[in-house]
């Protein structure tokens, strides 16, 4: 599409008159970076790709920059297990554990410097956050705005009078507007997420150009994946819901077009924690927006399956999934630095079942965050709980907890798309309620920072919880990487074999490899029949469970015994 498409998008967003000068300014930015952008190490996505999600200071050691410690830890423990590292915001920040950025082009000095980021990139594919819906009120851009600096005069959204904002979709139960004083009086600014995070004003094309410069700078520093944080709220228009507006989609398309022009190996991932159908809209037509979207419905549906002992809702939803093109796929996770979103369940589960899920999490010591609705009511929008705790039942054996947790991750790794595993899941953490007490924020429950020495001692002890979980999940990750049926381009089939079993087939047409993945979500031993005709063993029916390293002689219609919470991945052996 190239330059003509970029100019078309600029006209769609700002009109032909403004576009006349804008396209030249944008081309100058592209020209500046063309010679600076690195060549891709591994273009495209394969079954070998899996991403670790981690804070930059997740692993700490006294008197050492956190990013150096993280790089060393990942090189030692994760080489050959994950292909990429999503380093959560490592820029200077003022709140929200990094998502209130004060300087987009710097590394927070307490973490290290750009050389430390590039070191991680020598061994792993790098994923950066583009926190471009809002910026910190303590940052250079906002300070200039408050002082009346002409360079930043329209960088943020200033509200005058009392317009009707009742239609605006609110992701959190916090005030939408914040009043701030400056030398000339008081300004009222739009703050979707908190009083410290002022929304950027994309009606001002200077903001868009500056953000484009930032994104290309990230690519120059080694970013191969760019996560567009809270992108759904980007464009504001009073009288609308201010979410998923056409201008927002046009800006995502513009970012994609710019990257395709100068760095086609870089992939966009949109973070839109919204109902599933809305989330899928960020694929665009399959070629013009994000290459990946967060599959936000997967974490609560997997949790629902294990809590009810039934895969009916999960299987029905999974069977309905369609991708608009072969070049896009899902970005799958069960846990992250955020909680487990409930909005992606709406339209999939009845409200009564969502409420039952909320009550179960409360009974297991979890917390719940709420959002304000336009009619003045509140709804639960996020479960704040460590995923291991969410799946654990008080009084049960550790072995049962581990089997359930590992089986849930087997579903994640077998599912169509690219898997992302949160650090605290991979390394077997429990919930950090002390952190919630310290910060007063529910999300702190899953954000504890760990000392490297203590963590490594636990990993070296084969009886420790951390060691057992890490070893079992690492085994699954290694298996996934060597089976082409798990390629993001491979087909996915969902089978209804038993309401207690989540059964999916993955088939790579190019290589001919096929896998049948069975996951018992119940505490019952059961017999699961084999699938015909798609996975009908030929001749002697030589099947092999790659997880448990066990051969089977089965024919279509035969039954396979599954222990409580057991996962098996069956491959036909030629």
């Amino acid at each position: 599409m190239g330059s003509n498409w970029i100019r078309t998008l600029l006209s769609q967003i700002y009109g032909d008159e403004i576009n006349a000068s804008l396209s030249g300014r944008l081309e100058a930015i592209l020209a500046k970076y063309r010679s600076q952008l690195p060549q891709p190490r591994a273009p495209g996505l394969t079954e070998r790709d899996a991403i670790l999600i981690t804070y930059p200071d997740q692993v700490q050691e006294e008197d050492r920059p956190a990013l150096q410690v993280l790089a060393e830890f990942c090189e030692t423990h994760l080489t050959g297990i994950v292909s990429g590292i999503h380093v959560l915001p490592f820029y200077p920040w003022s709140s929200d554990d990094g998502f209130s950025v004060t300087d987009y082009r710097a590394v927070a000095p307490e973490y290290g410097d750009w050389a430390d980021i590039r070191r991680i990139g020598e061994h792993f594919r790098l994923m950066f956050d583009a926190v471009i819906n809002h910026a910190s009120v303590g940052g250079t851009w906002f300070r200039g705005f408050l002082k009346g600096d002409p360079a930043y005069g329209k960088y943020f959204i200033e509200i005058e009078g009392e317009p009707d904002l009742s239609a605006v979709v609110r992701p959190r139960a916090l005030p939408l507007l914040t009043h701030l004083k400056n030398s000339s009086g008081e300004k009222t600014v739009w703050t979707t997420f908190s009083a410290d995070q002022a929304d950027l004003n994309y009606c001002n094309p200077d903001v868009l150009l500056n953000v484009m410069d930032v994104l290309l700078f990230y690519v120059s520093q080694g970013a191969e994946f760019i996560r567009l944080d809270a992108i759904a709220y980007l464009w504001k228009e009073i009288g609308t819901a201010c979410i998923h507006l056409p201008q927002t989609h046009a800006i995502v398309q513009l970012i994609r077009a710019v990257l395709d022009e100068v760095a086609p190996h870089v992939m966009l991932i949109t973070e839109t924690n919204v109902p599933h159908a809305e989330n899928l809209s960020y694929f665009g037509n399959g070629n013009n927006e994000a290459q990946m979207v967060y599959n936000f419905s997967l974490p609560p549906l997997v949790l629902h399956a294990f809590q009810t002992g039934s895969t009916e809702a999960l299987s029905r939803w999974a069977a309905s999934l369609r991708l608009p093109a072969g070049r896009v796929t899902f970005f799958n996770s069960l846990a992250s630095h955020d909680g487990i979103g409930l909005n992606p369940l709406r339209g999939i589960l009845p409200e009564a079942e969502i409420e039952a899920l909320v009550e179960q999490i409360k009974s297991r010591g979890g917390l719940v965050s709420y959002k304000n609705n336009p009619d003045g009511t509140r709804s639960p929008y996020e479960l704040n709980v460590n995923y291991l705790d969410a799946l654990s039942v008080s009084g049960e054996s550790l072995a049962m907890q581990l089997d359930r947790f590992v089986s849930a991750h087997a579903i994640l790794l077998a599912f169509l798309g690219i898997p992302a595993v949160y650090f605290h899941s991979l390394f077997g953490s429990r919930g950090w309620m002390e952190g919630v007490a310290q910060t007063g924020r529910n999300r702190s429950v899953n954000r504890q920072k760990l000392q490297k020495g203590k963590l490594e001692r636990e990993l070296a002890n084969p009886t420790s919880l951390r060691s057992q979980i890490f070893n079992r999940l690492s085994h699954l990750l290694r298996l996934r990487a060597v089976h082409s049926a798990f390629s993001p381009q491979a087909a996915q089939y969902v089978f209804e074999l038993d309401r207690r079993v989540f059964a999916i087939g993955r088939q790579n047409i190019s290589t001919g490899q096929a896998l049948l993945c069975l996951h018992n979500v119940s505490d019952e031993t059961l017999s699961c029949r084999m699938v015909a005709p798609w996975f009908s063993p030929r001749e002697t029916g030589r099947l092999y469970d790659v997880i448990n390293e066990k051969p089977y002689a089965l024919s279509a219609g035969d039954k396979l015994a599954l222990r409580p919470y057991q996962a098996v991945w069956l491959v036909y052996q030629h």
Side-chain angles (χ1 to χ4, degrees), residues 39-235:
Q39 293 299 309
R41 176 178 53 239
L45 298 168
T46 74
E47 64 276 6
R48 293 183 294 277
D49 283 298
I51 308 296
L52 175 78
I53 306 169
T54 180
Y55 277 100
D57 59 343
Q58 183 59 69
V59 186
Q60 302 179 351
E61 200 166 50
E62 191 173 355
D63 298 326
R64 291 189 63 196
L67 284 168
Q68 291 182 19
V69 179
L70 179 66
E72 182 181 278
F73 181 86
C74 290
E75 289 165 20
T76 300
H77 297 280
L78 295 178
T79 300
I81 295 174
V82 299
S83 64
I85 308 288
H86 173 196
V87 187
L88 291 161
F90 47 81
Y91 326 112
W93 56 282
S94 56
S95 66
D96 200 16
D97 288 338
F99 283 90
S100 186
V101 179
T102 60
D103 185 345
Y104 287 104
R105 293 181 174 85
V107 175
E110 64 268 27
Y111 298 152
D113 56 29
W114 283 111
D116 298 320
I117 290 292
R118 290 192 294 271
R119 173 183 169 178
I120 298 174
E122 291 173 4
H123 300 273
F124 303 94
R125 305 180 78 174
L126 285 171
M127 180 169 163
F128 290 6
D129 284 283
V131 191
I132 57 174
N133 175 73
H134 49 263
S136 169
V137 301
T140 303
W141 293 2
F142 195 82
R143 291 201 307 271
F145 167 77
L146 274 185
K147 291 176 182 177
D149 183 339
Y152 301 103
K154 295 183 179 179
Y155 258 53
F156 298 88
I157 302 169
E158 188 171 0
I159 300 297
E160 297 180 354
E162 296 184 2
D164 181 6
L165 301 175
S166 60
V168 175
V169 171
R170 302 292 296 114
R172 296 183 182 177
L174 294 168
L176 178 64
L177 306 178
T178 298
H179 308 288
L180 296 164
K181 292 183 179 180
N182 66 355
S183 57
S184 61
E186 187 176 77
K187 289 181 180 289
T188 300
V189 295
W190 196 297
T191 52
T192 296
F193 290 95
S194 81
D196 187 52
Q197 295 163 295
D199 288 52
L200 289 162
N201 179 19
Y202 283 87
C203 291
N204 176 4
D206 290 343
V207 171
L208 180 62
L209 291 179
N210 206 342
V211 165
M212 287 294 187
D213 192 288
V214 166
L215 297 182
L216 292 176
F217 174 72
Y218 291 166
V219 177
S220 75
Q221 298 301 312
E224 293 187 50
F225 305 100
I226 294 178
R227 174 185 184 270
L228 298 178
D229 176 68
I231 196 70
Y233 303 94
L234 203 68
W235 192 276

Side-chain angles (χ1 to χ4, degrees), residues 395-462:
E396 72 179 357
S397 69
L398 179 60
M400 188 72 81
Q401 294 179 40
L402 291 179
D403 286 347
R404 190 186 293 114
F405 187 68
V406 172
S407 187
H409 282 80
I411 293 174
L412 166 69
L413 298 184
F415 209 85
L416 174 64
I418 296 300
V421 184
Y422 188 41
F423 192 99
H424 284 298
S425 292
L426 185 57
F427 291 98
S429 296
R430 306 306 297 240
W432 189 42
M433 296 306 296
E434 297 90 339
V436 175
Q438 290 172 20
T439 66
R441 297 193 302 271
N442 287 358
R443 284 181 168 179
S444 296
V445 72
N446 211 20
R447 297 183 178 184
Q448 184 179 12
K449 307 302 164 58
L450 306 174
Q451 293 301 310
K452 180 172 178 283
K454 183 174 185 295
L455 174 58
E456 292 191 319
R457 286 193 296 274
E458 290 182 84
L459 292 175
N461 176 4

Side-chain angles (χ1 to χ4, degrees), residues 71 125 237 280 358 364 433 497 562:
R125 305 180 78 174
E237 191 170 308
L280 295 183
V358 168
R364 295 179 181 182
M433 296 306 296
L497 307 182
L562 292 176

